[in-house]
Amino acid sequence: MKLIKQLKLTSLILVIAFCANPQITFALDVNVTSDTGTTVTNSVTLGNFTNSATITTSGVSDGVQNSGTITTFTNSGTIIGVDDGIQNDGTITSLINSGRITGAFGVFTSNTGTLTTFTNTGTTAGSTYGFFGSTHQVCIVSS
């Protein structure tokens, strides 16, 4: 059995397209790269999104873009975006980072997004801001 160590997308986007179900868990443990566009896009409801690999884009875009709902987003790997590491226009109840998130903005929550709790024991860095929340309050547990 051959294991996939890296997945490279040249003109496609890895889109999480499950039926809206808060019990669904999406776990990424292979490296994913996109030369153009956002690498991982979520627009549905997920119970858990877990990354323990490397998500990166070399195009002017985001590593992960969320416009749906994620109850728990756990990153112990690396997320690199040229624009944002994580762009949140939806809802993330709990973001737990023990890995590395970088971009112009490491984590960016727009004025339409909600991030309830951000626990950061890893690295969140950006050339502009490591963390930016437009208008909503965020409870940062640890940094």
Side-chain angles (χ1 to χ4, degrees):
M1 182 162 126
K2 187 175 180 180
L3 297 176
I4 297 173
K5 294 293 182 188
Q6 182 158 344
L7 176 63
K8 184 165 184 169
L9 305 175
T10 55
S11 62
L12 300 174
I13 307 169
L14 178 62
V15 179
I16 303 168
F18 298 109
C19 296
N21 182 341
Q23 302 305 311
I24 290 177
T25 296
F26 180 80
L28 188 61
D29 60 0
V30 297
N31 296 337
V32 181
T33 302
S34 173
D35 292 337
T36 59
T38 298
T39 305
V40 177
T41 300
N42 175 55
S43 61
V44 298
T45 298
L46 296 175
N48 298 293
F49 180 104
T50 303
N51 176 53
S52 60
T54 298
I55 299 172
T56 185
T57 183
S58 58
V60 181
S61 199
D62 309 317
V64 175
Q65 194 282 330
N66 176 55
S67 60
T69 299
I70 301 172
T71 303
T72 304
F73 186 137
T74 305
N75 178 55
S76 61
T78 300
I79 300 173
I80 301 169
V82 174
D83 191 12
D84 305 318
I86 298 173
Q87 163 85 30
N88 180 37
D89 300 312
T91 299
I92 299 174
T93 304
S94 178
L95 174 57
I96 302 164
N97 178 48
S98 61
R100 183 171 181 248
I101 304 170
T102 62
F105 292 87
V107 175
F108 180 88
T109 296
S110 70
N111 60 0
T112 61
T114 301
L115 174 59
T116 307
T117 303
F118 179 35
T119 304
N120 185 43
T121 58
T123 300
T124 304
S127 56
T128 306
Y129 292 109
F131 176 84
F132 183 83
S134 290
T135 58
H136 294 89
Q137 292 185 352
V138 176
C139 174
I140 299 178
V141 176
S142 176
S143 67

